[in-house]
Amino acid sequence: MLPTVLVVGGTGAQGTAVVQLLSESRRYAVKVPTRSTTSPQAKALMDLENVSLVEADVFNENDLMRLFTEINMCFINTNGFAVGEKNEIYWSIRMHNIARFCGVKHFVYSSLEYGSKKAGFDPKYRCSHLEGKAKVADFLASQSTNPMNWSVICSGPYMETLSDPFKPRKDENGSYVFEFPLADGAIPFICLKDLAAYALWMFDNPEKCRGLNLAIATQHASGEDVAKAFTSVTGKPARYEDVDLEEYLTKAWKELPNGAETKIGVNFVPNEPTLMTYRENFRGFWNVFRASGGNEGLLTRDYQQLDKILPTRIKTVAEWMEKSGYTGKPQSVLKDRAERIAD
């Protein structure tokens, strides 16, 4: 029988990529928990080889005990936007503890990193959806890798978000305009296909990644890098425009009930006093990337290490655009951004 991998968050953008590649490898059976096996995201996985779906609530102790029984490995990507930072930390740690109790052999956690720690916890860089996952990675670093091995994949914004929400607009002259409040910073984008490939490498090579926190990215891309890549691949004129951060945040989250002042995770815990607003959260988010230009500053990557692990990885924005057929056309990548309850 094939070893079984439980993929928490398997119906999201990241999880779907991981499930698909695990299935394509034909080396693993994959179990995906979901609140509804009839959702469009769940249905898209049903026909994949060696993939099964199970209705469960991953924020419920009884369901977690059932999910982690009789599996060999797991990939955990919790949804901090749905539950808020404090609950993401709590439930991620409980998942680790329950998995270890149930005899899981390898616990792979999908994390992010927080710039405020590297900046002496400067609140200017505080971003709850980065920090929640990063604090779980800090917890894992204090845990033994026996009897349950653990590994961390530390990623960043998906390259695919250049289709939504970071899609370009067309100006009156037909030029494509990429607007970010990035100044001269850079975003360590990662394409989802390669993120999944690093996860597969971890499951295939548990000893090589025992206790490893692997920070991955395709390229530290500035706004200028993105615009130039677009022109080089499509032949269409493009430019980058730095925009005012506060105006950008107001516009980006205008569809939410209280706009950018809506609190992250409010549907899960309505009276939680620690929740950040979208404005507060993404102010820190963009400030972190503004301070990471040129693979220096707050967020850095060891690209030589990444080349060694995955020689076939996509290495630039332009290469991703060419191989993915990117045209700048809007295309939904993430789940509905107004949806605040996790699957």
Side-chain angles (χ1 to χ4, degrees):
M1 293 180 64
L2 296 174
T4 301
V5 180
L6 176 73
V7 180
V8 171
T11 60
Q14 180 181 144
T16 294
V18 171
V19 171
Q20 289 174 338
L21 190 57
L22 288 171
S23 172
E24 289 172 11
S25 77
R26 298 186 176 181
R27 296 193 289 276
Y28 302 96
V30 185
K31 181 187 294 187
V32 181
T34 175
R35 287 183 298 111
S36 172
T37 56
T38 60
S39 71
Q41 296 90 350
K43 286 182 176 180
L45 302 177
M46 285 183 172
D47 293 331
L48 296 178
E49 186 175 1
N50 297 320
V51 174
S52 61
L53 276 68
V54 55
E55 288 196 359
D57 180 357
V58 298
F59 302 116
N60 176 282
E61 294 253 350
N62 292 331
D63 282 3
L64 287 175
M65 197 68 73
R66 174 168 56 94
L67 290 169
F68 283 110
T69 299
E70 297 183 352
I71 67 163
N72 305 95
M73 295 163 279
C74 61
F75 180 88
I76 307 297
N77 182 32
T78 50
N79 187 346
F81 286 103
V83 299
E85 179 184 356
K86 188 163 75 172
N87 276 289
E88 181 165 39
I89 295 169
Y90 173 83
W91 283 109
S92 297
I93 291 174
R94 286 300 295 139
M95 289 178 194
H96 167 274
N97 296 349
I98 292 171
R100 181 165 172 170
F101 172 78
C102 289
V104 174
K105 299 302 181 184
H106 195 179
F107 185 95
V108 177
Y109 185 74
S110 177
S111 183
L112 298 165
E113 60 185 314
Y114 51 120
S116 69
K117 181 180 180 180
K118 294 184 178 180
F121 297 101
D122 186 339
K124 174 181 178 180
Y125 303 107
R126 173 151 161 65
C127 172
S128 65
H129 82 274
L130 300 183
E131 300 202 6
K133 289 181 178 295
K135 289 169 183 173
V136 176
D138 284 350
F139 160 79
L140 290 173
S142 70
Q143 301 302 305
S144 171
T145 57
N146 285 304
M148 183 175 75
N149 188 12
W150 62 262
S151 308
V152 172
I153 292 180
C154 178
S155 64
Y158 310 143
M159 193 76 75
E160 288 78 3
T161 57
L162 290 171
S163 295
D164 180 63
F166 304 146
K167 59 185 178 292
R169 67 171 176 86
K170 266 189 175 183
D171 68 11
E172 62 278 5
N173 298 314
S175 292
Y176 288 77
V177 184
F178 291 88
E179 297 177 311
F180 312 134
L182 189 56
D184 57 355
I187 301 174
F189 283 114
I190 179 67
C191 68
L192 286 169
K193 182 178 179 180
D194 282 352
L195 188 157
Y198 286 114
L200 178 61
W201 173 81
M202 285 186 165
F203 290 123
D204 285 344
N205 300 276
E207 290 305 316
K208 290 183 179 180
C209 59
R210 184 174 292 276
L212 175 66
N213 188 332
L214 181 65
I216 64 173
T218 300
Q219 177 189 1
H220 269 67
S222 66
E224 293 287 350
D225 290 333
V226 172
K228 289 178 180 178
F230 182 81
T231 296
S232 70
V233 171
T234 67
K236 299 175 182 178
R239 69 180 185 276
Y240 160 64
E241 287 188 1
D242 185 45
V243 295
D244 179 79
L245 176 57
E246 298 303 323
E247 292 180 4
Y248 180 91
L249 295 174
T250 298
K251 182 179 179 180
W253 302 105
K254 63 182 180 181
E255 79 276 11
L256 295 177
N258 294 313
E261 313 315 317
T262 302
K263 291 188 174 183
I264 291 175
V266 68
N267 287 350
F268 192 82
V269 279
N271 299 314
E272 172 56 59
T274 66
L275 298 180
M276 296 184 78
T277 67
Y278 279 80
R279 182 182 301 280
E280 293 167 338
N281 183 78
F282 281 94
R283 182 187 291 133
F285 173 88
W286 284 107
N287 281 333
V288 166
F289 297 133
R290 288 162 80 132
S292 301
N295 196 22
E296 298 177 348
L298 296 184
L299 303 188
T300 59
R301 297 290 187 266
D302 183 346
Y303 287 102
Q304 288 185 339
Q305 179 192 33
L306 298 179
D307 288 339
K308 184 177 180 181
I309 293 172
L310 190 65
T312 60
R313 76 176 185 89
I314 290 175
K315 297 178 175 63
T316 65
V317 175
E319 184 183 357
W320 172 78
M321 288 182 174
E322 183 175 4
K323 289 185 175 179
S324 66
Y326 178 77
T327 63
K329 181 180 179 180
Q331 182 178 349
S332 179
V333 176
L334 305 176
K335 286 185 178 181
D336 182 357
R337 289 195 296 156
E339 181 186 346
R340 298 303 152 211
I341 297 296
D343 199 356

Tab-separated table of all heavy atoms in Angstrom, residues 181-223:
chain	number	residue	atom	x	y	z
A	181	PRO	N	2.495	49.311	-3.844
A	181	PRO	CA	3.120	50.245	-2.896
A	181	PRO	C	4.453	49.669	-2.415
A	181	PRO	O	4.685	49.476	-1.235
A	181	PRO	CB	2.090	50.327	-1.770
A	181	PRO	CG	1.455	48.973	-1.753
A	181	PRO	CD	1.435	48.503	-3.190
A	182	LEU	N	5.348	49.394	-3.375
A	182	LEU	CA	6.563	48.634	-3.102
A	182	LEU	C	7.816	49.495	-3.040
A	182	LEU	O	8.859	49.032	-2.564
A	182	LEU	CB	6.721	47.551	-4.182
A	182	LEU	CG	7.790	46.487	-4.012
A	182	LEU	CD1	7.624	45.739	-2.686
A	182	LEU	CD2	7.753	45.501	-5.180
A	183	ALA	N	7.716	50.737	-3.520
A	183	ALA	CA	8.877	51.624	-3.584
A	183	ALA	C	10.003	50.896	-4.335
A	183	ALA	O	9.782	50.352	-5.401
A	183	ALA	CB	9.292	52.071	-2.191
A	184	ASP	N	11.213	50.832	-3.750
A	184	ASP	CA	12.321	50.140	-4.408
A	184	ASP	C	12.606	48.800	-3.745
A	184	ASP	O	13.713	48.276	-3.809
A	184	ASP	CB	13.582	51.007	-4.410
A	184	ASP	CG	14.005	51.418	-3.004
A	184	ASP	OD1	13.275	51.116	-2.036
A	184	ASP	OD2	15.071	52.055	-2.879
A	185	GLY	N	11.584	48.225	-3.098
A	185	GLY	CA	11.724	46.926	-2.462
A	185	GLY	C	11.525	45.793	-3.443
A	185	GLY	O	11.558	45.981	-4.671
A	186	ALA	N	11.322	44.589	-2.918
A	186	ALA	CA	11.139	43.413	-3.773
A	186	ALA	C	10.288	42.376	-3.052
A	186	ALA	O	10.288	42.294	-1.822
A	186	ALA	CB	12.489	42.799	-4.157
A	187	ILE	N	9.565	41.569	-3.851
A	187	ILE	CA	8.720	40.501	-3.328
A	187	ILE	C	9.361	39.158	-3.672
A	187	ILE	O	9.636	38.894	-4.847
A	187	ILE	CB	7.311	40.568	-3.945
A	187	ILE	CG1	6.658	41.918	-3.653
A	187	ILE	CG2	6.441	39.433	-3.414
A	187	ILE	CD1	5.323	42.110	-4.355
A	188	PRO	N	9.610	38.290	-2.687
A	188	PRO	CA	10.146	36.958	-2.980
A	188	PRO	C	9.030	36.024	-3.455
A	188	PRO	O	8.580	35.126	-2.742
A	188	PRO	CB	10.742	36.513	-1.645
A	188	PRO	CG	9.928	37.223	-0.613
A	188	PRO	CD	9.537	38.542	-1.234
A	189	PHE	N	8.585	36.241	-4.695
A	189	PHE	CA	7.513	35.435	-5.264
A	189	PHE	C	7.929	33.964	-5.358
A	189	PHE	O	9.097	33.638	-5.553
A	189	PHE	CB	7.184	35.914	-6.683
A	189	PHE	CG	6.372	37.166	-6.763
A	189	PHE	CD1	6.911	38.331	-7.292
A	189	PHE	CD2	5.045	37.182	-6.348
A	189	PHE	CE1	6.152	39.487	-7.396
A	189	PHE	CE2	4.279	38.335	-6.452
A	189	PHE	CZ	4.837	39.489	-6.982
A	190	ILE	N	6.940	33.073	-5.253
A	190	ILE	CA	7.158	31.643	-5.505
A	190	ILE	C	6.029	31.132	-6.400
A	190	ILE	O	4.858	31.440	-6.156
A	190	ILE	CB	7.217	30.820	-4.195
A	190	ILE	CG1	7.416	29.328	-4.482
A	190	ILE	CG2	5.975	31.047	-3.357
A	190	ILE	CD1	8.754	28.974	-5.072
A	191	CYS	N	6.372	30.407	-7.447
A	191	CYS	CA	5.317	29.836	-8.285
A	191	CYS	C	4.812	28.554	-7.622
A	191	CYS	O	5.577	27.799	-7.015
A	191	CYS	CB	5.810	29.585	-9.707
A	191	CYS	SG	7.043	28.299	-9.894
A	192	LEU	N	3.529	28.323	-7.707
A	192	LEU	CA	2.903	27.223	-6.982
A	192	LEU	C	3.421	25.856	-7.416
A	192	LEU	O	3.543	24.935	-6.599
A	192	LEU	CB	1.384	27.291	-7.158
A	192	LEU	CG	0.693	28.395	-6.363
A	192	LEU	CD1	-0.763	28.549	-6.815
A	192	LEU	CD2	0.755	28.113	-4.872
A	193	LYS	N	3.745	25.706	-8.685
A	193	LYS	CA	4.248	24.421	-9.159
A	193	LYS	C	5.536	24.056	-8.439
A	193	LYS	O	5.740	22.905	-8.032
A	193	LYS	CB	4.475	24.471	-10.667
A	193	LYS	CG	4.956	23.152	-11.257
A	193	LYS	CD	5.109	23.241	-12.765
A	193	LYS	CE	5.610	21.923	-13.338
A	193	LYS	NZ	5.767	21.997	-14.827
A	194	ASP	N	6.424	25.021	-8.258
A	194	ASP	CA	7.686	24.740	-7.573
A	194	ASP	C	7.496	24.581	-6.071
A	194	ASP	O	8.187	23.771	-5.432
A	194	ASP	CB	8.705	25.847	-7.861
A	194	ASP	CG	9.334	25.714	-9.248
A	194	ASP	OD1	9.085	24.692	-9.918
A	194	ASP	OD2	10.062	26.635	-9.654
A	195	LEU	N	6.567	25.328	-5.484
A	195	LEU	CA	6.274	25.125	-4.070
A	195	LEU	C	5.878	23.674	-3.830
A	195	LEU	O	6.361	23.030	-2.897
A	195	LEU	CB	5.159	26.071	-3.617
A	195	LEU	CG	4.853	26.130	-2.115
A	195	LEU	CD1	4.182	27.455	-1.759
A	195	LEU	CD2	3.957	24.986	-1.639
A	196	ALA	N	5.018	23.156	-4.686
A	196	ALA	CA	4.601	21.760	-4.564
A	196	ALA	C	5.778	20.809	-4.762
A	196	ALA	O	5.871	19.769	-4.100
A	196	ALA	CB	3.501	21.455	-5.571
A	197	ALA	N	6.697	21.171	-5.656
A	197	ALA	CA	7.854	20.315	-5.910
A	197	ALA	C	8.766	20.243	-4.683
A	197	ALA	O	9.344	19.186	-4.392
A	197	ALA	CB	8.632	20.827	-7.122
A	198	TYR	N	8.912	21.351	-3.960
A	198	TYR	CA	9.703	21.324	-2.729
A	198	TYR	C	9.019	20.450	-1.673
A	198	TYR	O	9.685	19.730	-0.927
A	198	TYR	CB	9.903	22.738	-2.194
A	198	TYR	CG	10.896	23.560	-2.984
A	198	TYR	CD1	10.486	24.682	-3.700
A	198	TYR	CD2	12.242	23.215	-3.022
A	198	TYR	CE1	11.395	25.434	-4.436
A	198	TYR	CE2	13.155	23.966	-3.754
A	198	TYR	CZ	12.727	25.076	-4.459
A	198	TYR	OH	13.622	25.827	-5.194
A	199	ALA	N	7.690	20.508	-1.612
A	199	ALA	CA	6.966	19.647	-0.676
A	199	ALA	C	7.179	18.177	-1.025
A	199	ALA	O	7.428	17.345	-0.142
A	199	ALA	CB	5.474	19.994	-0.680
A	200	LEU	N	7.077	17.849	-2.302
A	200	LEU	CA	7.295	16.468	-2.733
A	200	LEU	C	8.713	16.019	-2.386
A	200	LEU	O	8.928	14.884	-1.927
A	200	LEU	CB	7.048	16.338	-4.243
A	200	LEU	CG	7.283	14.952	-4.853
A	200	LEU	CD1	6.357	13.913	-4.240
A	200	LEU	CD2	7.101	15.013	-6.379
A	201	TRP	N	9.687	16.904	-2.586
A	201	TRP	CA	11.081	16.581	-2.238
A	201	TRP	C	11.202	16.259	-0.751
A	201	TRP	O	11.928	15.333	-0.373
A	201	TRP	CB	11.980	17.757	-2.599
A	201	TRP	CG	13.396	17.591	-2.135
A	201	TRP	CD1	14.386	16.859	-2.746
A	201	TRP	CD2	13.983	18.139	-0.953
A	201	TRP	NE1	15.557	16.932	-2.019
A	201	TRP	CE2	15.338	17.711	-0.912
A	201	TRP	CE3	13.510	18.957	0.071
A	201	TRP	CZ2	16.210	18.068	0.118
A	201	TRP	CZ3	14.373	19.314	1.102
A	201	TRP	CH2	15.701	18.872	1.118
A	202	MET	N	10.491	16.991	0.084
A	202	MET	CA	10.548	16.729	1.520
A	202	MET	C	9.979	15.363	1.861
A	202	MET	O	10.545	14.621	2.676
A	202	MET	CB	9.818	17.827	2.291
A	202	MET	CG	10.580	19.127	2.366
A	202	MET	SD	9.781	20.351	3.440
A	202	MET	CE	11.136	21.516	3.658
A	203	PHE	N	8.871	14.994	1.246
A	203	PHE	CA	8.289	13.680	1.519
A	203	PHE	C	9.177	12.562	0.969
A	203	PHE	O	9.265	11.483	1.561
A	203	PHE	CB	6.883	13.588	0.944
A	203	PHE	CG	5.885	14.447	1.670
A	203	PHE	CD1	5.143	15.400	0.997
A	203	PHE	CD2	5.697	14.303	3.024
A	203	PHE	CE1	4.219	16.194	1.674
A	203	PHE	CE2	4.785	15.096	3.715
A	203	PHE	CZ	4.045	16.043	3.043
A	204	ASP	N	9.835	12.818	-0.151
A	204	ASP	CA	10.718	11.813	-0.745
A	204	ASP	C	12.043	11.673	0.010
A	204	ASP	O	12.693	10.633	-0.069
A	204	ASP	CB	11.028	12.172	-2.202
A	204	ASP	CG	9.872	11.905	-3.150
A	204	ASP	OD1	8.938	11.171	-2.763
A	204	ASP	OD2	9.905	12.425	-4.285
A	205	ASN	N	12.455	12.735	0.708
A	205	ASN	CA	13.770	12.775	1.348
A	205	ASN	C	13.666	13.221	2.808
A	205	ASN	O	14.220	14.260	3.191
A	205	ASN	CB	14.699	13.719	0.586
A	205	ASN	CG	14.912	13.307	-0.854
A	205	ASN	OD1	15.751	12.475	-1.165
A	205	ASN	ND2	14.133	13.907	-1.746
A	206	PRO	N	12.971	12.456	3.638
A	206	PRO	CA	12.741	12.897	5.017
A	206	PRO	C	14.022	13.121	5.816
A	206	PRO	O	14.077	14.034	6.650
A	206	PRO	CB	11.894	11.762	5.614
A	206	PRO	CG	12.148	10.574	4.738
A	206	PRO	CD	12.368	11.133	3.375
A	207	GLU	N	15.065	12.339	5.572
A	207	GLU	CA	16.292	12.501	6.340
A	207	GLU	C	17.040	13.774	5.952
A	207	GLU	O	17.676	14.416	6.790
A	207	GLU	CB	17.196	11.278	6.171
A	207	GLU	CG	16.664	10.034	6.848
A	207	GLU	CD	16.389	10.264	8.334
A	207	GLU	OE1	17.227	10.892	9.016
A	207	GLU	OE2	15.324	9.821	8.812
A	208	LYS	N	16.970	14.151	4.683
A	208	LYS	CA	17.655	15.362	4.237
A	208	LYS	C	17.007	16.632	4.784
A	208	LYS	O	17.651	17.682	4.849
A	208	LYS	CB	17.676	15.416	2.710
A	208	LYS	CG	18.585	14.389	2.066
A	208	LYS	CD	18.612	14.566	0.554
A	208	LYS	CE	19.542	13.555	-0.104
A	208	LYS	NZ	19.573	13.705	-1.582
A	209	CYS	N	15.737	16.537	5.161
A	209	CYS	CA	15.045	17.746	5.630
A	209	CYS	C	14.576	17.599	7.069
A	209	CYS	O	13.629	18.264	7.491
A	209	CYS	CB	13.882	18.091	4.707
A	209	CYS	SG	12.648	16.806	4.542
A	210	ARG	N	15.261	16.751	7.829
A	210	ARG	CA	14.910	16.574	9.239
A	210	ARG	C	15.198	17.873	9.998
A	210	ARG	O	16.334	18.323	10.092
A	210	ARG	CB	15.694	15.414	9.834
A	210	ARG	CG	15.323	15.077	11.278
A	210	ARG	CD	16.035	13.821	11.752
A	210	ARG	NE	15.550	12.627	11.065
A	210	ARG	CZ	14.465	11.947	11.434
A	210	ARG	NH1	13.768	12.339	12.494
A	210	ARG	NH2	14.086	10.875	10.773
A	211	GLY	N	14.146	18.496	10.534
A	211	GLY	CA	14.301	19.739	11.266
A	211	GLY	C	14.698	20.926	10.399
A	211	GLY	O	15.203	21.928	10.901
A	212	LEU	N	14.444	20.837	9.096
A	212	LEU	CA	14.835	21.898	8.155
A	212	LEU	C	13.723	22.934	8.003
A	212	LEU	O	12.563	22.589	7.812
A	212	LEU	CB	15.141	21.285	6.785
A	212	LEU	CG	15.453	22.266	5.644
A	212	LEU	CD1	16.748	23.014	5.911
A	212	LEU	CD2	15.516	21.517	4.305
A	213	ASN	N	14.089	24.213	8.078
A	213	ASN	CA	13.190	25.310	7.724
A	213	ASN	C	13.707	25.876	6.408
A	213	ASN	O	14.696	26.610	6.379
A	213	ASN	CB	13.175	26.386	8.807
A	213	ASN	CG	12.110	27.449	8.559
A	213	ASN	OD1	11.733	27.721	7.418
A	213	ASN	ND2	11.632	28.068	9.624
A	214	LEU	N	13.061	25.500	5.316
A	214	LEU	CA	13.518	25.848	3.976
A	214	LEU	C	12.753	27.060	3.451
A	214	LEU	O	11.553	26.987	3.189
A	214	LEU	CB	13.323	24.663	3.030
A	214	LEU	CG	13.786	24.870	1.588
A	214	LEU	CD1	15.296	25.060	1.520
A	214	LEU	CD2	13.346	23.694	0.710
A	215	ALA	N	13.463	28.178	3.296
A	215	ALA	CA	12.855	29.397	2.769
A	215	ALA	C	12.966	29.379	1.251
A	215	ALA	O	14.073	29.346	0.703
A	215	ALA	CB	13.550	30.626	3.342
A	216	ILE	N	11.829	29.378	0.562
A	216	ILE	CA	11.810	29.210	-0.888
A	216	ILE	C	11.324	30.480	-1.589
A	216	ILE	O	10.600	31.302	-1.009
A	216	ILE	CB	10.933	28.020	-1.310
A	216	ILE	CG1	9.467	28.264	-0.929
A	216	ILE	CG2	11.446	26.728	-0.680
A	216	ILE	CD1	8.505	27.198	-1.458
A	217	ALA	N	11.724	30.628	-2.830
A	217	ALA	CA	11.241	31.715	-3.679
A	217	ALA	C	11.685	31.439	-5.105
A	217	ALA	O	12.636	30.681	-5.342
A	217	ALA	CB	11.777	33.071	-3.222
A	218	THR	N	11.008	32.047	-6.051
A	218	THR	CA	11.414	32.009	-7.446
A	218	THR	C	12.429	33.107	-7.720
A	218	THR	O	13.490	32.880	-8.271
A	218	THR	CB	10.195	32.195	-8.370
A	218	THR	OG1	9.250	31.154	-8.124
A	218	THR	CG2	10.596	32.190	-9.831
A	219	GLN	N	12.094	34.318	-7.291
A	219	GLN	CA	12.953	35.480	-7.505
A	219	GLN	C	12.520	36.594	-6.571
A	219	GLN	O	11.327	36.768	-6.312
A	219	GLN	CB	12.858	35.968	-8.965
A	219	GLN	CG	13.657	37.216	-9.277
A	219	GLN	CD	13.371	37.786	-10.668
A	219	GLN	OE1	12.553	37.251	-11.409
A	219	GLN	NE2	14.025	38.879	-11.003
A	220	HIS	N	13.468	37.358	-6.049
A	220	HIS	CA	13.154	38.626	-5.403
A	220	HIS	C	12.865	39.620	-6.535
A	220	HIS	O	13.792	40.109	-7.193
A	220	HIS	CB	14.342	39.128	-4.576
A	220	HIS	CG	14.327	38.680	-3.157
A	220	HIS	ND1	14.486	37.361	-2.799
A	220	HIS	CD2	14.174	39.383	-1.995
A	220	HIS	CE1	14.444	37.267	-1.470
A	220	HIS	NE2	14.247	38.467	-0.968
A	221	ALA	N	11.610	39.892	-6.780
A	221	ALA	CA	11.228	40.703	-7.933
A	221	ALA	C	10.771	42.087	-7.503
A	221	ALA	O	9.879	42.226	-6.671
A	221	ALA	CB	10.124	40.013	-8.719
A	222	SER	N	11.380	43.090	-8.070
A	222	SER	CA	10.933	44.457	-7.855
A	222	SER	C	9.779	44.752	-8.807
A	222	SER	O	9.480	43.966	-9.717
A	222	SER	CB	12.084	45.433	-8.128
A	222	SER	OG	12.437	45.407	-9.515
A	223	GLY	N	9.146	45.903	-8.627
A	223	GLY	CA	8.099	46.303	-9.553
A	223	GLY	C	8.630	46.453	-10.966
A	223	GLY	O	7.980	46.065	-11.941
